[in-house]
Every structure is written in C-alpha cells, then in structure tokens.
C-alpha cells in the first residue's frame, strides 16, 4: 500500500517525537534512532510498558544504559538510561490525550 503520508506531529522533544499519519492512522513514535510504528489501539499499552518498565531487564555494565528491552529480533535489544526513559515517557504522556481522542473519534466513525 503506497500513499502520501500526511504526517502530523503531536509531541516532540530533543530526543524524539510522536506523530500520526492522517491517511493511514499509523502512530509514529521516534526516539533517538528507533522508530516504533503503532496503531492507535496499541499506543496506550505501549506507553504503559514504558512507564511501568514492563518487560525490561536490568543490564548492568560500567557504561550506564541499565534498562534492556527485548525486540522481536532475537539478537537485537534496546538499551535505555533512566534519564532517557524519563524523556521518552514525557513524550508519550504528552501525546497520549490527543491520540486517545483520535482513537475515540475513529471508533465513532466506525459505528
Ligand atoms: Zn500513512
């Protein structure tokens, strides 16, 4: 499926942004060099995973970045410092009300 992405930024800070494509309704969560592409329904649980550090394992080295998140790729992991994760969660929190409104609007359009 190809279409022109009408991208709308909802939240941003120095490390990333949250936005939504007005055409396909894909939510883009960009943080440093990671991009998470989510549906509106997936966003809330994704934010919860990050806020509550669910599925994260301690990864202690002398380099910091002590929170490890697994990915669907067996040999690829994401590492965060507590400070990075706080900034990430700020973005998600800032974007959440708008995305929740979008989700409810989409539900109403379907009914
Ligand atoms: Zn799109």
């Amino acid at each position: 499926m190809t279409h022109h992405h009408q991208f709308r930024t909802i939240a941003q800070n120095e490390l990333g942004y949250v936005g939504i494509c007005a055409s396909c309704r894909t939510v883009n969560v960009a943080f440093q060099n990671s991009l998470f592409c989510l549906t509106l329904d997936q966003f809330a649980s994704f934010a919860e995973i990050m806020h509550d550090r669910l599925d994260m394992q301690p990864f202690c080295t002398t380099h910091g970045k002590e929170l490890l998140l697994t990915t669907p790729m067996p040999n690829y992991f994401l590492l965060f410092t507590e400070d990075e994760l706080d900034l990430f969660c700020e973005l998600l929190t800032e974007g959440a009300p708008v995305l929740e409104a979008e989700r409810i609007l989409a539900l109403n359009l379907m009914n």
Side-chain angles (χ1 to χ4, degrees):
M1 186 182 80
T2 56
H3 70 270
H4 189 71
H5 292 272
Q6 302 282 344
F7 193 74
R8 183 156 67 91
T9 301
I10 290 166
Q12 60 186 322
N13 65 21
E14 65 269 33
L15 292 183
Y17 59 81
V18 176
I20 186 169
C21 172
S23 309
C24 66
R25 320 298 291 160
T26 300
V27 177
N28 283 9
V29 178
F31 189 74
Q32 294 185 319
N33 57 355
S34 295
L35 174 65
F36 304 89
C37 295
L38 308 166
T39 65
L40 281 165
D41 283 336
Q42 289 170 334
F43 179 81
S45 45
F46 178 79
E48 193 181 311
I49 285 170
M50 291 301 168
H51 281 295
D52 297 344
R53 276 67 164 150
L54 299 176
D55 297 330
M56 291 204 188
Q57 300 160 24
F59 189 74
C60 299
T61 68
T62 56
H63 302 282
K65 292 196 176 285
E66 294 182 340
L67 293 162
L68 179 144
L69 184 68
T70 58
T71 75
M73 283 169 66
N75 50 2
Y76 181 65
F77 305 89
L78 299 179
L79 285 176
F80 298 91
T81 66
E82 285 285 351
D83 287 351
E84 285 168 344
L85 209 53
D86 285 345
L87 279 169
F88 193 31
C89 287
E90 271 176 29
L91 267 185
L92 299 176
T93 301
E94 196 184 329
V98 175
L99 292 176
E100 179 60 12
E102 292 280 347
R103 195 182 67 81
I104 290 165
L105 197 68
L107 282 178
N108 287 341
L109 288 176
M110 276 190 289
N111 294 330

